[in-house]
Amino acid sequence: MRDQLGVTVSILAPAAAIVALYPLLSVLFPIVASLNIGPLPLSLFVLGGGIYPPLVALGFWYVRKAQRVEQRFGDLFRDR
């Protein structure tokens, strides 16, 4: 149970930081919210290239770590 909590916290902390960066950037530098790259706002590029790919990577990392925890838990019962 503690291992599962540790895996979850180790993923939630960077995910929360990634998600909080764009609003923080918009508040600290208001011009960022109004910039355009061609006809598209900068926020679409930040979301599409700066936020979602790291979150997807964290998702894959979480699944891998959770499978390891589950494997170790199953090994405890197979040894008996």
Side-chain angles (χ1 to χ4, degrees):
M1 188 83 145
R2 287 183 186 167
D3 288 341
Q4 289 174 338
L5 180 62
V7 169
T8 302
V9 170
S10 72
I11 298 300
L12 278 178
I18 291 169
V19 171
L21 281 178
Y22 181 70
L24 182 64
L25 184 67
S26 295
V27 169
L28 293 176
F29 304 103
I31 192 141
V32 172
S34 63
L35 288 177
N36 288 336
I37 298 177
L40 299 173
L42 178 64
S43 62
L44 287 178
F45 289 102
V46 170
L47 289 173
I51 292 180
Y52 290 122
L55 288 179
V56 170
L58 280 173
F60 282 117
W61 188 31
Y62 174 76
V63 168
R64 186 172 173 203
K65 289 178 87 171
Q67 286 174 342
R68 280 194 219 145
V69 168
E70 186 177 333
Q71 181 68 35
R72 283 188 302 201
F73 183 72
D75 290 344
L76 287 174
F77 287 104
R78 280 187 216 112
D79 290 341
R80 290 182 177 205

